Amino acid sequence: MKVYVFGIGGTGSRVMRAVTMLLASGVECKADAIVPIIIDPDAAGGDVERAATLMRRYGEVRSKLDFSSKKQNKFFRTEIMETMTNYRLPLSNTEDCRFDEYMNLSGMSKENKALTRLLFSQKNLDSDMEVGFKGNPNVGSVVLNQFEDSIQFQNFANDFTAQDKIFIISSIFGGTGASGFPLLLKTLRTSNNIANPNLVNNAHIGAITVLPYFQVKQDDESNIDSATFVSKAKSALSYYLRAISRNNAIDNLYYVADDTRTTYDNEEGGAKQKNDAHFVELISALALIDFANAQNPNPDRKNNDNLRTVHKEFGIEKDTNEITFGELGQKSRKQLRKPLTQFNLFAKYLGEYSGFKSQPWVVDRGLDGNFFDSDFIDTLKLVQGEYLAWLAEMAGQQRAFTPFNLHRDSNRVFDLVKGVSPRTTWPLFDKNFDLFDNRLNNTGGESKLGEKEQQFVELFYLATEKLVKDKFNID
Amino acid sequence: MAKVFRLYNIQGNNNIVDWQESKEYGTQAISEIIDPDGATARKEITSIPSPFARIDLVKTAFREVTNMARDAKDKRAALKGNTIYHKMVSEMFDVAQIFFNIDRFRDKFEIVVWDRKKDLDLDGILGNTLNLYLESDAVGSDPYNCKKMNRVYMLNYIGADRSAEMNIVGGTSPATLFFSSSNDLGYVTKNVLFDNDRPFDNVYQPLNKRSFDFQKYFFALRKSNREFARQFPEVNDYLDLVYGCLSNNEKREIDQLTDTSVGEYEPIKVGEREHDYLEILGFPYHKKLKNPIVNSDFAIRSSVYKAEKMPLVLPVEKGNMYTNLIYTNGPWEQDFSAPYHDKTDWKLRLLPELGDEYPYLTISDFLTDTIVRIPYTLNNQSYYDGGLVCKNENDERSYLLPLTPLFFQFFSVKELQETVPGTNKLMFEFVENASGIKVVLRIPIQKGFVEYSRVYFEGLLPDLDANDGGLIETKFGMGVMPLVHFPQNVKKHYRVAMFDKGKSTTTLAFYNGATVLESKSKVRAEKDLSGRGCSHEAYMLEDNFDRILVKVGDVEGFVVPLFKPANEHAATVFTFAVDFGTTNTHIEYISDTNRTPKPFDVKASETQLHQLHKRYTDQDIRMAFEQDFIPGTIGDKHTFPMRTVFANHVGMKLEQNPNPLVDGNIPFLYEKDFTPDWNKISTELKWGGVPDRLLEMHLETLFILMRNKVAINDGNLSATKLIWFYPASMTVGKINKFKQIWKDAYENYFGPDSSHNVISISESKAPYLHFIKTQGAADEVVTIDVGGGTTDVFIVENQEDRMLLSFRFASNAIFGDAYNNNPSKNGFVCKYKEPSKKILESNKLSELLRALSQIEDQGKSSDIVNFLFSLVGSRVDNNKELDFLRKLSNDDRMRYVFIIFYGSILYFIAKTMKAKGLVKPKTIAFSGNGARTLRILSDENEVVEKFAKLIFDGVYGDNKGSIQVMMEANPKIATCKGGIESPKPQPYDTIGSIKTVFVGNDFSHDDSRLTYADISDKMKQEVVEAVGDFFKFLFDLHKYNQEFLVNSLSADPTIFNRVKDFCLGEEGKQLLQVSLSKGITHKRETDGVNDDTPIEETLFFYPLVGLLHELAYKISQMK
């Protein structure tokens, strides 16, 4: 089963980053594959670029791994498929083009001109399509109405199977995401001009609507004014209620927001629009995983007059601005604590420790210098570095998700999980990376089979699994 | 406690942990989201991912505002918030209100219709997207009513300050009826106003703060659509809240609405087809009922105009002077101003700033664009001068009041001259200005006044857009007579003189209050376009008027005469005696308050013709008043008695019922100045030489003068007594005609009671009455009134009226043309005309020469002689050479003519008296204008008395007693004075018993029963013989009384024999016969005499007329 994930706009990309991180760390997902389709006219957008790069690296790492049933490793387990270049659905005619030109306003009849001018503000009409819709989803609703026209979208429909699911990620308060979501949904539900229209029209579709969780610095010159975020969200929610919920166009709808909000620099788009990761994005990523696991509430959509939408919200057990695993709900804690801690340890080992080259686990497996200098290790380390950065970014937010003590102190390697004092373990004299080595050296089984890359990752999975059990009693 | 990652305050399960099923964010939940920024965001919300985002946003906005207000303690305050939602709601109503008022914004908005069937372009990106949304949004409950939406009606702003070719400001919405564009619509704000609110501004107006008629319509609209609450739930909820905020009265009005109330409004037509009306989901939206009732402080405060919709008077200058006043529903704002002019009919106008169709007035409705200046100082005693004070006293100028006729539809002329009620500010003011003249006009409104001012600039064309007036100058003179307003039951007789000497044509129109009056007008002389000479025009009105509209070319202005109301309770009774004579006419009058008879006069204080200006430096205009009207005063330069003469327009048509002082006038300048060539002069009016209407017009002119005098002096018009005199020698028919004229004229000019107030007395008796009263005449009195045409004799014995004689032998018998002769044969003319002319020439009295020349042209000797008599007037005072009477007195030769004239009269009277058995008189009193020449006989009264006594003694055959001869210094006035002193009627039909007619042959019996058919050749012969007897008698008198004619009467002895021979000789006898025949024929021709007409006068004098005429001629030819 594949989940096609439409990540629309900046938020879509940021959530995809979180999804990738979770999948990299081994958070369990029922889907065999995630097929990201990023929709963002802002091709140069920082968030988009970062997410795409990360996903590509994820794929590179994963391509060396073996997930046959005997293997234990869950790192990079779920496939993230690149079915289109840069995971991005290309949008045509948005370069060097204003919205009025895009619509060919000057060529319209008087009546249509009038209607256009009634529905769209002059600013709308003057806006440059290249950098997105600058918080104007009504513009987006027109510009993005071109999915059907692209080969990539046609390919998506062509590949779509009855088991596959669709998940749409968008923010409600921005421009691109807010507009893309209903439009995409309408297209998916109603389009006849695609392959497998029956499958697509009646597919199990979920979406997360990301409500305001950050704000941008006040800038009178900017089209983005976060003071309107809540107003916009409210208006959009009402619209969704009428245009999406009430006609049951969606099967699963996830809402998330945060009222404690970090202020970002005001960037209307382009490379600079690259915001630090946020817990809400992680929550959103969890929504995807939840959706991937979920049953379709409307299994026979076509013949069902009694359609319903499952709405979900996310909560933690305790309201705090410094969220650790302890504050998460039980399920989330269980979902996240082990993989995130494992992958963290993996990352720390590779990133902070270098005295392992003569260790038995290395020698036994013939992991030579070439291996450690290989693209695979480089890419893995980049992913891990990104992972740690991602964690750090989330920890730096106003409402911080900060389950770990992110430090590079080799004397306190296991002073890692907040709220958990690492337990003393055998052998008593092995501490920190020595203990890590001890566990690596004592791990065998599947970690000694297959390609080196496979062995390597399998080894680390098993070792970190043991370590988190031993030191943090996580299982 | 758990933390759910949701927005503030969304009500829901707070115990959610992890991803857990919850409820949808429903309407309620969304509404509960508290915006930490308080929804005060300055930027438009743009987050709806739909091309119809704006429609959705407005729907949301309604819900938000409704929620806020529903929860608020002060609902009114909550409805009037300043959030972005309030803004959108406010703008929705702005759009709705523009549609509602679309009629008054026709110049500002056009409606563009987008038709789903026709205009949805599925091939275009937009059309494709719209279709996607319309189709998919219509699924389920169709929250936007997409299914029913067929058309979108949009407002395209086409007014001032528009920013682009197309400026769509709002349109209809299937979800909330209307919605606005999210653009900055400040340019609309600036140019559109309803009542007290501007659309699309920063002051967000909830429905309940808008005009109630609009609110009411919205409720009516809701009532009309049973689906309203379902289709527009947010608007419906909002209306419920608004209802709660209304006053009790307003609620009551709303409560009375039914589902058909909306039928009282008119749908908004769009497109060409009849059935194309603006609709929203199939229900028509309507426009405002026309003409809302307004209660404005600017409503005009008029004493004159009454209407349900009183027009507003609006200031034309911006500023805060009127900001405390209510305009229609809201205050007049500082930056409001009305245009200086508005081409639309004022009753159909659109109110400035608001656009409501409602009558209003602005400066140019009251003030003209151009003012007329006249280079003469206004006569501000008689005309309203607008308070003009010329900075330089010597500046002679005045202005027409630059007011429009419309002004007077609202205000009286009285109000114009006063202060605005309740203030100390004058309604109208002229203010002299270096570059022209400034006019300040204050129009009373419900609260105070609106002040307008306009400067009229010399030499500039008017520029109404800049409120600059133009100024033209013209020359004209005008006068109104009289300046008295009469009560309703009194007939009005106004005359207005107008003399135009400007480049443009000037005309007059007359108004009384709201009425435009009909006036008869006559141009007696066209204006000389070369600049010499003015037009001579006259208007006649038979209604009171209070102002005159003067049109100078295209420019108009008003003149407001200061009329004095006639005293309705005036008790003063005036009595006039009018001696309408052949040559001269005299009027004497008395009143209750002054019983001494005086010749008719018009003092400066009782001016009848009030000239518009104090003085006319232009001679043509100055002269025109006297040439064609009446002089300003009578009694100094122009006096009564005056010449009986009438001037009428040469083009006058009798069949057009010409009128006095319109088509003709008494030419007071006759004999004093030339008569303009458009006037035709008529003399000898009395005896039928002219059409009757001319006679009437002459008399009516006198009536107008008398009437005006009474009115001006607070007299009781209808009690006025009028005495007129008739010569007993006139035929009955002619007398009756006169009687009718006097009666009709009296009734026309004074009142109905002519039977009591019109008194006729014979010309014979009236002088007697005067002499009795003033001269103490004894018994046995003979009064002899010598007029121009007749001599009337009245004889009283023992205070008893004994005899009345009247014959057409008076001064014209001497000075006239003796039945059909001409001046070349008139001795007096031949002898005296040329010398007089020379004197005039040497004195450069050219106007008199021209006058004489014109009189000569008439070919009447009597007129020429009368002219010579008139030269003694003031113009040639002290020049004895021009004193014609004096010259005649010194003419010993011509004296023979006067000796024969007076001698024959006295002889005839004596013969008659003797025949009737009357005793010789003790007093002979002479009167009448003709009697002036009595003194030619002798300067010494005793000589005249002796002459009279010798005649009476000679006829009676004894020399007993003595005769006293009396004569007034001005003998003409005796008739009038006698009449007025003893106004006892003496109707013609009562004089029969004393009227004595001797044919003049044998003096043996009274011949009053004879008719003209009885005149036989024998009789004529006897008459001629009788006249011969008189000549014998006269020359015997001379012979036996120390050559009386030469020695006592100083007749020239050198020609005595020639005179005697002529009179007694064959030539004289021939002449007598011829003259008698001519006289009879003349009588028949001019007096309407036929065979059956009784003989009213003796034939005795007919032969003498011809003889005297010839004698005078002969004398004049003697060397």
Side-chain angles (χ1 to χ4, degrees), chain B residues 670 675 681 823 833 837 849-861 863-864:
Chain B
Y670 182 71
T675 301
I681 292 290
K833 191 184 79 181
K837 249 184 178 173
L849 282 166
R850 284 168 64 191
L852 172 59
S853 167
Q854 288 173 328
I855 291 169
E856 285 179 278
D857 291 346
Q858 300 292 311
K860 285 184 184 165
S861 298
D863 290 348
I864 296 168

Side-chain angles (χ1 to χ4, degrees), chain B residues 155 195 345 668 737 837 856 979 1064:
Chain B
L155 289 173
D195 305 329
D345 180 334
F668 282 80
K737 191 167 80 187
K837 249 184 178 173
E856 285 179 278
L1064 295 173

